[in-house]
Amino acid sequence: MDGNIERVAWDHPAAAGYVRAAGAAAALLGTAKDHAHAVAGMDLSGLGTLGNGFAAAWAAAWSAHGGHLQTASALTGAYGQAITTWGTVLGGVDTESAATIAGAVPGTDQIQA
Protein backbone atom coordinates (compact mmCIF):
# COMPACT_ATOMS: atom_id res chain seq x y z
CA MET A 1 0.00 0.00 0.00
CA ASP A 2 1.18 3.49 -0.73
CA GLY A 3 -0.67 5.14 2.15
CA ASN A 4 -3.62 6.26 0.04
CA ILE A 5 -7.09 5.47 1.28
CA GLU A 6 -8.52 2.62 -0.72
CA ARG A 7 -12.20 2.72 -1.52
CA VAL A 8 -14.70 0.30 -2.88
CA ALA A 9 -17.07 1.86 -5.35
CA TRP A 10 -20.06 -0.45 -5.60
CA ASP A 11 -22.31 0.01 -8.59
CA HIS A 12 -25.64 -1.49 -7.46
CA PRO A 13 -27.39 -1.33 -10.85
CA ALA A 14 -24.38 -2.93 -12.58
CA ALA A 15 -24.19 -5.65 -9.91
CA ALA A 16 -27.91 -6.34 -10.29
CA GLY A 17 -27.48 -6.52 -14.07
CA TYR A 18 -24.62 -8.97 -13.70
CA VAL A 19 -26.61 -11.13 -11.28
CA ARG A 20 -29.52 -11.26 -13.74
CA ALA A 21 -27.18 -12.15 -16.61
CA ALA A 22 -25.37 -14.76 -14.49
CA GLY A 23 -28.68 -16.36 -13.55
CA ALA A 24 -29.79 -16.53 -17.17
CA ALA A 25 -26.38 -17.86 -18.27
CA ALA A 26 -26.39 -20.50 -15.52
CA ALA A 27 -29.85 -21.64 -16.61
CA LEU A 28 -28.78 -21.85 -20.26
CA LEU A 29 -25.64 -23.77 -19.34
CA GLY A 30 -27.81 -26.14 -17.30
CA THR A 31 -30.08 -26.68 -20.30
CA ALA A 32 -27.04 -27.25 -22.53
CA LYS A 33 -25.78 -29.79 -19.98
CA ASP A 34 -29.09 -31.64 -20.18
CA HIS A 35 -28.89 -31.68 -23.98
CA ALA A 36 -25.30 -32.91 -23.91
CA HIS A 37 -26.34 -35.77 -21.65
CA ALA A 38 -29.21 -36.56 -24.03
CA VAL A 39 -26.77 -36.66 -26.96
CA ALA A 40 -24.44 -38.92 -24.94
CA GLY A 41 -27.28 -41.39 -24.53
CA MET A 42 -28.30 -41.50 -28.20
CA ASP A 43 -28.81 -44.95 -29.62
CA LEU A 44 -25.85 -45.68 -31.85
CA SER A 45 -26.50 -49.42 -31.97
CA GLY A 46 -27.06 -49.15 -35.72
CA LEU A 47 -23.34 -48.57 -36.19
CA GLY A 48 -22.73 -52.29 -35.74
CA THR A 49 -19.69 -54.01 -34.35
CA LEU A 50 -17.22 -51.77 -36.17
CA GLY A 51 -18.90 -48.68 -34.70
CA ASN A 52 -18.84 -49.85 -31.08
CA GLY A 53 -15.60 -48.03 -30.37
CA PHE A 54 -16.95 -44.84 -31.94
CA ALA A 55 -20.19 -45.15 -29.98
CA ALA A 56 -18.27 -45.54 -26.72
CA ALA A 57 -16.03 -42.55 -27.54
CA TRP A 58 -19.11 -40.50 -28.52
CA ALA A 59 -20.87 -41.25 -25.25
CA ALA A 60 -17.76 -40.51 -23.19
CA ALA A 61 -17.04 -37.23 -24.99
CA TRP A 62 -20.61 -35.94 -24.68
CA SER A 63 -20.79 -37.02 -21.04
CA ALA A 64 -17.58 -35.11 -20.31
CA HIS A 65 -18.93 -32.10 -22.19
CA GLY A 66 -22.10 -32.27 -20.11
CA GLY A 67 -20.01 -32.39 -16.95
CA HIS A 68 -18.07 -29.29 -18.02
CA LEU A 69 -21.31 -27.46 -18.76
CA GLN A 70 -22.67 -28.45 -15.36
CA THR A 71 -19.53 -27.08 -13.67
CA ALA A 72 -19.75 -23.85 -15.69
CA SER A 73 -23.41 -23.47 -14.72
CA ALA A 74 -22.66 -23.99 -11.03
CA LEU A 75 -19.70 -21.59 -11.05
CA THR A 76 -21.62 -18.89 -12.93
CA GLY A 77 -24.56 -19.15 -10.54
CA ALA A 78 -22.27 -19.15 -7.50
CA TYR A 79 -20.43 -16.06 -8.71
CA GLY A 80 -23.74 -14.26 -9.16
CA GLN A 81 -24.66 -15.23 -5.59
CA ALA A 82 -21.27 -13.96 -4.37
CA ILE A 83 -21.95 -10.59 -6.03
CA THR A 84 -25.33 -10.43 -4.29
CA THR A 85 -23.78 -11.31 -0.91
CA TRP A 86 -20.95 -8.80 -1.35
CA GLY A 87 -23.47 -6.04 -2.15
CA THR A 88 -25.46 -6.95 0.96
CA VAL A 89 -22.31 -6.84 3.13
CA LEU A 90 -21.27 -3.46 1.70
CA GLY A 91 -24.79 -2.12 2.22
CA GLY A 92 -24.66 -3.21 5.87
CA VAL A 93 -21.28 -1.56 6.36
CA ASP A 94 -22.58 1.65 4.78
CA THR A 95 -25.64 1.61 7.03
CA GLU A 96 -23.55 1.06 10.17
CA SER A 97 -21.09 3.76 9.17
CA ALA A 98 -23.88 6.24 8.45
CA ALA A 99 -25.48 5.49 11.83
CA THR A 100 -22.14 5.97 13.60
CA ILE A 101 -21.48 9.24 11.80
CA ALA A 102 -25.02 10.50 12.46
CA GLY A 103 -24.55 9.78 16.17
CA ALA A 104 -21.27 11.70 16.20
CA VAL A 105 -23.13 15.04 16.34
CA PRO A 106 -25.64 14.93 19.20
CA GLY A 107 -29.09 16.23 18.43
CA THR A 108 -28.92 16.01 14.66
CA ASP A 109 -28.79 13.38 11.97
CA GLN A 110 -26.78 15.63 9.71
CA ILE A 111 -23.06 16.06 9.73
CA GLN A 112 -21.90 19.60 10.46
CA ALA A 113 -18.89 20.88 8.56
Side-chain angles (χ1 to χ4, degrees), residues 5-6 10 17 33 43 47 56-57 63 74 76 89-91 95 109:
I5 296 175
E6 294 186 21
W10 188 256
K33 179 257 316 173
D43 180 12
L47 298 177
S63 291
T76 302
V89 167
L90 288 176
T95 301
D109 286 338

Side-chain angles (χ1 to χ4, degrees), residues 1-106:
M1 274 179 54
D2 59 8
N4 292 333
I5 296 175
E6 294 186 21
R7 307 179 99 193
V8 174
W10 188 256
D11 185 343
H12 290 282
Y18 177 83
V19 169
R20 280 191 306 277
L28 289 170
L29 288 165
T31 299
K33 179 257 316 173
D34 293 341
H35 289 298
H37 284 243
V39 171
M42 284 184 163
D43 180 12
L44 297 178
S45 61
L47 298 177
T49 304
L50 295 177
N52 284 342
F54 174 80
W58 167 283
W62 279 101
S63 291
H65 186 60
H68 296 147
L69 289 167
Q70 182 174 0
T71 299
S73 175
L75 290 173
T76 302
Y79 192 70
Q81 183 58 46
I83 295 294
T84 299
T85 300
W86 185 237
T88 301
V89 167
L90 288 176
V93 169
D94 287 348
T95 301
E96 284 180 27
S97 297
T100 300
I101 291 168
V105 180

